[in-house]
């Protein structure tokens, strides 16, 4: 099957794109409103945008109203990207539900909180990795807002840190986002690999 741009409206392109661009890492983004309400929400349109300066980016979609994360980042110009480990998947799912701006997802999902060291935004205390960010820019892309933030602080749990500044993937145990489900990321291989040619 080949689908042209003109035929997009005849197909559910959202499902086709999300089903092909997998597994996606999840940015579990913590932020704070101007009135001090904590917010925590997962975003799987997430990656590294630059290594010099170190910059992360994630995309926020819009449904009925502007998401609290986007509003908070616009107001405070700071946020924290927490990496979701398998043991936190259920709490992450709980924080993904629609709550009012006055509700605190940290409290609702029963998540331990730590203060940020470099930004005035809390982080997930038990996250294997948390990256504190200052807003670089927001790029409007159709119905989405691409948020770019420069990393100003990096937290890593001792059991996840390896010598020579490496992250141990076996202890990180990240959660991958598929089309509508999630995936384990536990097995790794190097290339070339003759087993893959069979």
């Amino acid at each position: 099957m080949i689908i042209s741009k003109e035929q997009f409206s005849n197909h559910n392109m959202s499902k086709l794109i999300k089903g092909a661009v997998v597994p996606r890492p999840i940015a579990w983004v913590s932020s704070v409103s101007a009135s001090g309400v904590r917010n925590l929400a997962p975003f799987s349109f997430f990656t590294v945008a630059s290594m010099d300066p170190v910059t992360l980016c994630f995309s926020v979609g819009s449904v009925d109203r502007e998401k609290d994360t986007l509003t908070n980042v616009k107001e405070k110009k700071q946020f924290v990207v927490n990496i979701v480990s398998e043991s936190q998947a259920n709490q992450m799912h709980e924080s993904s539900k629609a709550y009012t701006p006055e509700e605190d997802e940290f409290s609702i999902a029963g998540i331990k909180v730590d203060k940020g060291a470099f930004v005035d935004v809390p982080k997930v205390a038990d996250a294997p990795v948390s990256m504190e960010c200052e807003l670089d820019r927001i790029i409007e892309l159709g119905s989405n807002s691409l948020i770019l933030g420069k990393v100003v602080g990096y937290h890593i749990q001792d059991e996840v840190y390896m010598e020579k500044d490496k992250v141990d993937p076996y202890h990180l145990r990240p959660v991958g986002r598929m089309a509508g489900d999630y995936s384990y990321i536990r097995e790794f291989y190097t290339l070339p690999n003759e087993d893959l040619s069979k």
Side-chain angles (χ1 to χ4, degrees):
M1 175 187 289
I2 300 175
I3 303 172
S4 68
K5 180 180 179 182
E6 290 71 30
Q7 296 172 317
F8 280 3
S9 60
N10 298 327
H11 298 271
N12 192 325
M13 291 307 295
S14 175
K15 288 185 177 180
L16 289 171
I17 294 294
K18 291 178 181 178
V21 184
V22 292
R24 299 189 302 278
I26 299 171
W28 205 9
V29 180
S30 48
S31 61
V32 178
S33 71
S35 59
V37 179
R38 301 179 304 194
N39 180 267
L40 184 64
F43 298 91
S44 66
F45 289 6
F46 158 60
T47 192
V48 178
S50 170
M51 287 303 297
D52 187 16
V54 180
T55 305
L56 304 179
C57 69
F58 66 98
S59 182
V60 181
S62 176
V63 186
D64 299 323
R65 64 178 178 85
E66 184 173 282
K67 287 186 179 287
D68 298 335
T69 300
L70 179 58
T71 300
N72 294 349
V73 171
K74 285 180 177 178
E75 292 175 346
K76 295 280 287 185
K77 299 188 177 1
Q78 297 178 333
F79 57 92
V80 178
V81 172
N82 305 277
I83 300 300
V84 184
S85 194
E86 288 176 14
S87 62
Q88 301 167 320
N90 287 322
Q91 290 175 303
M92 179 273 295
H93 175 68
E94 184 64 34
S95 73
S96 73
K97 297 177 182 179
Y99 294 105
T100 65
E102 295 75 28
E103 293 179 287
D104 180 340
E105 287 85 356
F106 279 93
S107 297
I108 292 170
I111 298 164
K112 294 180 181 178
V113 184
D114 268 348
K115 290 184 177 180
F118 304 96
V119 298
D120 189 23
V121 176
K123 68 183 186 70
V124 176
D126 297 331
V129 172
S130 295
M131 293 166 280
E132 300 186 39
C133 300
E134 292 182 347
L135 178 64
D136 178 79
R137 72 193 73 179
I138 298 175
I139 302 172
E140 302 301 331
L141 296 170
S143 62
N144 284 50
S145 298
L146 183 65
I147 298 176
L148 291 95
K150 294 179 182 177
V151 176
V152 296
Y154 187 97
H155 305 257
I156 184 168
Q157 300 287 353
D158 291 343
E159 64 271 20
V160 182
Y161 180 80
M162 297 173 63
E163 292 182 0
K164 299 182 179 179
D165 292 334
K166 291 184 179 181
V167 176
D168 184 344
Y170 294 99
H171 283 94
L172 183 68
R173 298 180 83 83
V175 176
R177 186 73 160 113
M178 302 300 286
D181 297 316
Y182 299 84
S183 66
Y184 295 111
I185 304 175
R186 298 177 177 175
E187 297 183 14
F188 311 95
Y189 57 85
T190 58
L191 294 176
N193 189 324
E194 292 183 2
D195 291 337
L196 301 178
S197 302
K198 297 177 181 178

